Amino acid sequence: MSHVTSAVRTPLITGGKTYADVTEDISRQVEGRPTREWTIAFTISVIVLIYGTACVFWTWWEGLGVWGLNKTVGWAWDITNFVWWVGIGHAGTLISAILLLFRQKWRTAVNRAAEAMTIFAVICAASFILMHMGRPWLAYWALPLPNTFGSLWVNFKSPLVWDVFAISTYFTVSLVFWYMGLLPDLATIRDRARSKVSRYIYGAFSLGWNGSAKTWARYEYMSLILAGLSTPLVLSVHTIVSMDFATSVIPGWHTTIFPPYFVAGAIFSGFAMVQNLMLIIRVVFKLEDYITVEHIESMNKVITLTGSIVGIAYLTEFFIAWYSGVEFETYAFINRATGPYWWAYWAMMTCNVISPQLFWSRAIRRSVVWTFTLSVVVNIGMWFERFVIIVTSLHRDYLPSSWAMFHPTLFDISDYIFSFGLFFTLFLLFAKFLPVVNMAEVKTIIKSSSEKLPVSVSGVAKGERVANPTFNKDVE
């Protein structure tokens, strides 16, 4: 008796992969020698990092006067870059936590790299906090210290102190979530290792993972608990970052829409960066069967949604400024659109509001070239958004005699370049020495979301597979 089946869902894994194929394809870049592309990219990243590090040390040595700040614009590129990097780090937690709780299967191929991106982006964001402290060796003063250190208790009413707790908590939970998710894959690499050194290192980091039913059960419980802890962080971290501005009385900053507006913008820019990284990984590591067009389209839908929310927030800001009847608030927004920094405002509007609307077209949404290009455009636009919020709200004060322009110096630009060198150096090391796709989780969906059902034995070669067109459910 033959079974008649119909395709309900497009497969998330193509190529008719078996469990053995998943292990082999994803472990290949870890076990093999570095590719020429990886070596070139890593060399460039290290050179940029070395140059940027020298500039950061020079900034500390000479003081913040090497930046383009002045008596009116006391915050500029440093905080712009800080908020931008924190925003980029949001997608990893959303993919790993919220989409896990909603049982979205398409997250399995992208969550590992997105979580790594989150950790590295938060490190880059923290570097800007250290930079603009001026005396980074006293950074621990931002923590509540024992009385033996003297009267150094921080002002808990300051949102800058809230930042310390929010970002450190976010980093810690994200790091634990990422590392715990690595354990099954680290054990796989350990068991396949050919050298004693590799076996020892991966064995130590896999924490004695043995793959028993009890181990897997505890792993699943732990994943759900961490997902529950991480979900509020997706909303709280950028909410607290937005309060750096919203709790002030400066026109253009003093607005209650900032928390949801910043969270939506963070997810928006974070998903765009995930797209950029995953599309490169997809080609370089030949993972087209695991990171498919379906994954690309799903993430583009999130980008379209959050981009639309950000666009509504921009319009709401203008309406509230007019509706408030406060002339200073109204002028702050008119100045953004028509003042000396009009080019930054309209670059922001074009990149963040207009460009994502192209994803309403299914052809563009499923195009790799269009996706990569628009994701770059979105992240450029989100940087301009933070620049517009910070600089245009400061550069024209209540008194015209205090008005000033901000012009970035070489060290403003070089310290920003440093963060790119740091980010890509860390990400490339991760991509070489750890599996960029979560093998364990991909294997959990291989029966329900694969193009062809593999036979029950994982090691059967491709020529011996049972041909079965069903990919939406396991038909007996």
Side-chain angles (χ1 to χ4, degrees):
M1 177 179 176
S2 61
H3 295 281
V4 178
T5 60
S6 62
V8 177
R9 294 187 180 92
T10 309
L12 293 174
I13 303 171
T14 58
K17 300 294 183 180
T18 64
Y19 297 115
D21 292 333
V22 173
T23 303
E24 188 64 36
D25 293 344
I26 297 172
S27 300
R28 188 184 301 122
Q29 97 276 357
V30 178
E31 298 167 342
R33 296 179 65 84
T35 62
R36 185 169 59 90
E37 294 89 347
W38 184 91
T39 304
I40 293 171
F42 185 71
T43 302
I44 294 171
S45 296
V46 170
I47 291 171
V48 171
L49 177 60
I50 292 170
Y51 167 75
T53 302
C55 292
V56 169
F57 274 101
W58 186 257
T59 300
W60 283 334
W61 183 261
E62 289 293 316
L64 301 188
V66 299
W67 287 348
L69 306 178
N70 52 58
K71 63 184 178 64
T72 303
V73 184
W75 268 2
W77 273 43
D78 52 335
I79 300 300
T80 298
N81 299 335
F82 163 73
V83 179
W84 188 74
W85 278 115
V86 172
I88 282 175
H90 261 56
T93 308
L94 185 138
I95 290 172
S96 59
I98 295 179
L99 296 186
L100 171 64
L101 296 177
F102 281 99
R103 300 298 184 188
Q104 294 297 302
K105 293 180 179 179
W106 62 267
R107 61 174 282 282
T108 57
V110 298
N111 65 338
R112 171 73 51 73
E115 290 166 16
M117 182 199 74
T118 290
I119 294 164
F120 305 146
V122 171
I123 292 172
C124 291
S127 71
F128 283 99
I129 296 297
L130 293 175
M131 279 183 218
H132 90 276
M133 280 182 172
R135 293 183 287 177
W137 51 90
L138 300 180
Y140 65 92
W141 283 15
L143 303 173
L145 300 168
N147 287 337
T148 52
F149 283 85
S151 302
L152 293 175
W153 280 91
V154 292
N155 179 12
F156 288 103
K157 295 179 181 179
S158 169
L160 299 179
V161 175
W162 307 344
D163 269 349
V164 173
F165 294 104
I167 292 171
S168 60
T169 304
Y170 184 59
F171 176 78
T172 304
V173 173
S174 298
L175 184 63
V176 171
F177 206 167
W178 176 68
Y179 179 60
M180 290 295 107
L182 273 167
L183 292 180
D185 290 0
L186 289 173
T188 299
I189 302 296
R190 172 200 66 195
D191 296 339
R192 291 168 54 91
R194 296 179 180 178
S195 72
K196 289 184 179 180
V197 175
S198 296
R199 192 178 304 114
Y200 177 80
I201 293 173
Y202 286 107
F205 282 105
S206 63
L207 303 181
W209 179 277
N210 59 12
S212 67
K214 182 181 288 188
T215 304
W216 277 110
R218 288 172 176 168
Y219 174 81
E220 294 293 336
Y221 292 147
M222 177 276 307
S223 296
L224 289 174
I225 290 170
L226 285 176
L229 291 173
S230 301
T231 298
L233 290 175
V234 176
L235 305 176
S236 67
V237 173
H238 227 57
T239 295
I240 290 173
V241 169
S242 75
M243 290 178 182
D244 292 352
F245 313 103
T247 54
S248 72
V249 293
I250 294 175
W253 288 4
H254 188 63
T255 171
T256 55
I257 199 176
F258 266 17
Y261 160 25
F262 268 53
V263 170
I267 297 169
F268 182 49
S269 61
F271 266 79
M273 183 63 90
V274 172
Q275 290 280 48
N276 288 140
L277 295 173
M278 295 307 293
L279 290 175
I280 295 172
I281 288 172
R282 181 176 185 263
V283 174
V284 173
F285 291 155
K286 299 179 175 60
L287 297 175
E288 290 89 345
D289 289 329
Y290 303 97
I291 305 168
T292 65
V293 175
E294 296 304 313
H295 294 92
I296 296 168
E297 184 176 19
S298 296
M299 287 194 282
N300 284 339
K301 289 176 181 177
V302 176
I303 290 173
T304 307
L305 171 64
T306 50
S308 300
I309 294 172
V310 167
I312 291 171
Y314 293 161
L315 298 177
T316 305
E317 279 188 312
F318 259 92
F319 171 76
I320 294 299
W322 166 79
Y323 189 71
S324 69
V326 179
E327 58 181 336
F328 303 110
E329 194 78 23
T330 305
Y331 177 76
F333 285 91
I334 293 174
N335 179 55
R336 285 183 184 178
T338 62
Y341 289 109
W342 64 268
W343 51 271
Y345 178 83
W346 290 108
M348 172 192 81
M349 292 295 286
T350 303
C351 296
N352 293 348
V353 181
I354 298 173
S355 69
Q357 304 311 315
L358 295 173
F359 283 137
W360 287 104
S361 165
R362 188 172 187 269
I364 292 177
R365 199 167 61 235
R366 296 173 68 86
S367 166
V368 172
V369 175
W370 272 105
T371 296
F372 187 86
T373 303
L374 290 176
S375 296
V376 172
V377 168
V378 163
N379 268 316
I380 292 172
M382 288 307 295
W383 189 91
F384 274 113
E385 179 204 281
R386 279 61 179 256
F387 178 81
V388 165
I389 289 172
I390 293 164
V391 174
T392 64
S393 299
L394 292 175
H395 85 112
R396 288 193 168 175
D397 207 341
Y398 292 99
L399 297 175
S401 59
S402 299
W403 290 4
M405 293 290 289
F406 168 78
H407 300 287
T409 66
L410 173 65
F411 289 96
D412 282 295
I413 299 168
S414 298
D415 291 347
Y416 184 40
I417 291 173
F418 158 79
S419 66
F420 279 98
L422 177 62
F423 178 83
F424 283 107
T425 299
L426 293 173
F427 193 86
L428 287 165
L429 287 171
F430 152 74
K432 175 64 189 79
F433 294 105
L434 296 171
V436 292
V437 173
N438 194 323
M439 290 187 280
E441 293 201 358
V442 167
K443 289 174 184 177
T444 63
I445 67 166
I446 201 167
K447 285 190 176 183
S448 60
S449 304
S450 181
E451 198 168 48
K452 292 180 181 179
L453 286 176
V455 293
S456 57
V457 181
S458 64
V460 174
K462 290 186 177 181
E464 301 171 7
R465 295 178 192 166
V466 178
N468 190 331
T470 308
F471 52 77
N472 61 307
K473 62 171 78 174
D474 190 0
V475 181
E476 295 294 336

